[in-house]
Amino acid sequence: MTPAGLARKRLLARGALWWEALWPALWPALGTLGLFGVFALGGIPALLPGWAHVLILVGFVAAFIAALRHGFTGFRAPDAAAVDRRLERATGLAHRPLAALQDQPATQDPDGLALWAAHQSRMRRLIARLRVGTPRPGLAARDPRAFRAGILVAFCAALFAAGGDAPALLARGLVPHFGSTPPPAALRVEAWVTPPAYTGAPPIFLPGQGGSATIPAGSRLQIALSGGLGTTLPEITGLPGLAFEALGGGSHTAQASMQAGARITIRREGTEIATWNLAVQADAPPIAAFTEAPVRSPRGLALRLPWRTEDDWGVVTLRAEFHLAARPDAAPITLEMTLPSAAPKQARGLAQPDLSAHPWAGLPVQLRLIARDGAEQEGRSEEVTLILPERSFNHPVARAIIEIRKGLSLNPGGRMEAMREMDRITQAPDAFEHDAGTLLALRTARGQLQRDRRAEAVGEVQELLWEAALALEEGRDTRTARALAEAQRQLREAMNEAERTPQAENEQQRSEVERRIEQLREAIRRHLEAMAERLQRENAEALPYDPQQRMLDQRDMDRRTRRMEEATRQNRMEDAQRELAELEEMLRALQEGRVARSESPERQRQRERGQQQMGAVQDMVRRQGEMVDQGQRRAEQQEQRAAQQRRLAQPWNQRPGQPGQVTPEQQQQAEQEQQRQLQAEARRQRALRRALGELMQQQGDLTGEVPEALGQADQAMREAMEALQEGRDARPAQQEAMRRLQEGGRQMAQQMQRQFGQGQGEGEGEEDGMGETEMGGEGQDGEQQLGEGRDPLGRRARENTGNADNGSDTRVPDEAEQLRTRRLQDELRRRGAERERPAEELDYIDRLLRRF
């Protein structure tokens, strides 16, 4: 009985014997084929004449046949006995147990048969552990120098170098060409310089035959060389470490970073191919400077920091650093300036930061501007020493608390002196009207200074002292108004961040927006309560509306906050921002109404004077427009007379008594009449300019400053008056005067809004640069009413008298409308850039984007 698995092991052993017999016989022939592959893939056949190629092919064929004949000499296929012997040798079995299984006993004696059965059983147990073993062709003995490994490595290298051209090269090696040798591809040199990414400059392509160029420092030079005759690697000089690398197919490349100028030369087999003289332009550090000396703003507590910056490749960031003069080693105050674009090469601006709440307010500081470019270079302005504006406190205890706060800024280690001052204040509670909040704040600050030895504890105590001083100086409604403004700012920042975050990743941002909305709702509630308490103490009306209307306002505010939350959950940030803008408008109107009711008679008279002055500006705009229209009519009449004279000057029209001909006397009279009209208009222009000068003086007496646009209008009126006196065309100057009057009226409205519209106390608030009302402002709801004398868009219609529209009823769009307008414009520009759209649609988009 044959043991299980013996047939499979015999099959494997037969395969091993075949491999051990075939591989030594085949490898010389395979080695010959490998040498031919190296010969063909190396492109050598293309360089040989046809007859030489034929001889080499014949040689390879003869060598291949000889190798096959030599290898298969004495080759014999393995038989069954050889298979069994291999299994027995690989397992290490003696006495040929496989043959014993096939033998038959020579006797029929029962004892002999039993002995034979035992012998076969023992053989079967030996056969159960048969092994095939690994094939051993024995090539190491036949090829002791391992030529086979060298041939294999050379073939793989040639195949890798040939790449996708390997099939074509092999075919070219098998078929000789007896025609003329094809000329090699023409030598091609390509060189270009890639400037650093921060420059934003495009690549600079160098002439292939050589030349000169100036490139930015840090640029990357790349050279590609292909084609031409030559078996040696090209040589490149001029930069250390710059060398060519073979790409295959006769192509080479080299690249290096340019930090200094160099003369780059390429040679091949001793012949100069190209030379470039490259000069490197070092990246200059950016420039930062103040265009004017930093000073306190004319109104408010802000600093006026006019700045300018420039760089050869663009400024990345600009910041202002404030160092405390008494403690130069203290951490500075850093303010990031807003640049007009991503990386402007030149920029100017005006920053007006309000640092009146900072612990360094009222102390000398050293200010410096620092600009940084894309190469991480920094440019610094000259250092300016100034005193940070501080808020003035009238309450004596508030002033004492602020002095303690300043002392901690100058000497953070003077905790004991600060604690003694706090004890002195708390021992006289009559000075702060026994206010429990002030007492608690002072006790808390003293305890923290005594127990908390962290460096950050001083800053926390200074914040407590600031809040305590404000609480004494202001009422609760002022604090809640500041908290409300802060809540609005934080909500708007959260909305902007959520809008910038991709939709799939802004779940956390939406949660942050919802949290800010809840904070805003609570800040609104507290502010309304504080306003009611203050007005009740002052024995005034609770609000400028009746109680029912006031409840409606509260419900409307709650409704808008709920809409904001719903829009945030649905990721409609545009709608949420619009609701926030409308809510801010409601709060602004509510605040203005309360201030208007609590104004003093003197302040109301000043407001009325301001309104009269804005009305006077409107009248000036109207009168200047009439003069522009009159000048236009006069110019048209002159053109008509000139055309008529040219027509009558033709030869065929020059007949005596021809109707329409002008005599010299008539022409002289017309010129005199025109001169009288010009002089009369010049007198009117002088009177209008005199009236503008009086208005500017009154505006300066009322608000302390004169709008710049009014001064420009005065200059334009003077030019128009001189043009009229000299008989020149005064329309350009008159139109400029009318535009400047309109702009000056808007600036006056903004000044009036800042001084009277918001009811800000002296020294508070920063200039917004944009008033909330315009000349001829609308109703409190901000909507333009349609009616007689208005066009369908709600604008005043132009009268037949020729008066120019002075834009007095123009309403400045609110922030939500501006945001929506910008989005529509961006979408139109995006669609207009898709040139595959139909021509009719692209023309329509261009007309929509065109500015008139």
Side-chain angles (χ1 to χ4, degrees), residues 40 113 117 120 172 282 292 369 453 724 769 847:
L113 291 176
Q120 283 191 326
R172 178 69 179 83
E292 299 176 13
L369 291 175
R453 311 309 297 179
L724 290 172
R847 289 197 302 271

Side-chain angles (χ1 to χ4, degrees), residues 201-214:
I204 303 172
F205 293 92
L206 304 176
Q209 67 277 12
S212 302
T214 301

Side-chain angles (χ1 to χ4, degrees), residues 396-404 418-432 438-439 442-443 465 472:
V397 176
R399 289 198 300 268
I401 292 175
I402 293 301
E403 291 301 323
I404 297 175
M419 288 189 291
R420 285 194 296 269
E421 289 295 322
M422 293 182 198
D423 291 339
R424 183 183 62 80
I425 294 174
T426 55
Q427 289 173 1
D430 293 340
F432 51 86
T438 303
L439 180 61
L442 292 173
R443 289 296 185 186
L465 295 177
L472 286 173

Side-chain angles (χ1 to χ4, degrees), residues 51 143 245 259 286 330 363 535 571 613 629 661 746 768 777:
W51 61 269
D143 183 23
E245 298 178 3
Q259 300 295 340
L363 299 176
L535 294 175
N571 202 30
Q613 293 175 9
D629 292 341
Q661 288 186 350
R746 285 190 288 271
D768 299 330

Side-chain angles (χ1 to χ4, degrees), residues 175-198:
V175 181
H177 290 272
F178 294 95
S180 59
T181 304
L187 182 64
R188 183 178 181 183
V189 180
E190 294 177 317
W192 66 94
V193 175
T194 304
Y198 70 84

